[in-house]
Amino acid sequence: MKNIENGEFQVVEETIIWQDRKHHLWFPLSFTKYMVGDGRLYINTGFLSSREDECLLYRITDISLKRSLAQRLFGTGTIELMSKDQTTPVIFLENIRRPVQIKRMLSNLIEKERMEKKVVGRDMYGAAAHVDGESEAEDREEG
């Protein structure tokens, strides 16, 4: 194995599960790209200056699908993701192809990531300390 020196990097193989672009009508004529892989959702926007946002899948708390009449006619839709990520609490995957299938796939991947990382619902909402504190208070009152 080669030693990595300062300023060098080694490419680790990524597993890309899904990728798409924001569509206009049914054409993917946009500089907004979406990608899911390695337990993360990546959103790359911009042409002259670009920005890449990343959200860990297990931090996504809610998924909803919105489709206007025009989106249904052209086979696209917008998926809205609510997350516990501070930089991007609401993520929109706008005008993507096959939105119903993508929503189901994301939901399954999110659950898989949570199970692998052993993250339960109350850990996500920060309620673990609150619930434990209540049970201790109740124990003191009874005792």
Side-chain angles (χ1 to χ4, degrees):
M1 182 170 184
K2 180 183 169 189
N3 289 338
I4 299 174
E5 295 182 19
N6 195 18
E8 293 183 356
F9 65 94
Q10 182 178 3
V11 176
V12 179
E13 188 174 326
E14 279 189 12
T15 304
I16 298 173
I17 297 170
W18 170 78
Q19 63 183 7
D20 199 1
R21 289 179 178 259
K22 180 178 176 181
H23 289 68
H24 295 285
L25 301 177
W26 60 81
F27 300 109
L29 302 173
S30 173
F31 295 106
T32 302
K33 301 174 193 170
Y34 309 111
M35 183 174 69
V36 173
D38 297 325
R40 292 171 168 79
L41 168 66
Y42 300 96
I43 302 171
N44 196 331
T45 57
F47 174 63
L48 295 177
S49 64
S50 65
R51 173 185 172 126
E52 183 174 291
D53 288 314
E54 174 182 330
C55 181
L56 295 167
L57 289 178
Y58 77 88
R59 296 185 62 87
I60 296 173
T61 57
D62 190 39
I63 303 175
S64 63
L65 172 63
K66 297 179 182 179
R67 297 180 79 189
S68 65
L69 177 61
Q71 287 176 320
R72 288 189 308 219
L73 289 173
F74 294 113
T76 63
T78 298
I79 297 176
E80 181 179 355
L81 305 166
M82 303 299 287
S83 75
K84 286 296 177 182
D85 190 60
Q86 290 184 354
T87 57
T88 51
V90 180
I91 301 168
F92 293 99
L93 305 179
E94 298 180 83
N95 295 331
I96 58 170
R97 287 183 303 151
R98 300 186 330 245
V100 174
Q101 293 89 342
I102 301 306
K103 179 182 172 284
R104 288 184 186 139
M105 178 204 64
L106 284 171
S107 182
N108 291 334
L109 287 171
I110 290 165
E111 288 302 315
K112 180 182 168 196
E113 285 292 314
R114 285 186 184 163
M115 299 210 24
E116 284 178 6
K117 302 221 182 314
K118 297 182 174 118
V119 176
V120 293
R122 66 183 195 178
D123 291 341
M124 288 296 298
Y125 294 103
H130 176 70
V131 172
D132 291 338
E134 281 182 8
S135 62
E136 289 174 14
E138 291 172 3
D139 291 343
R140 278 185 252 131
E141 288 175 7
E142 292 176 354

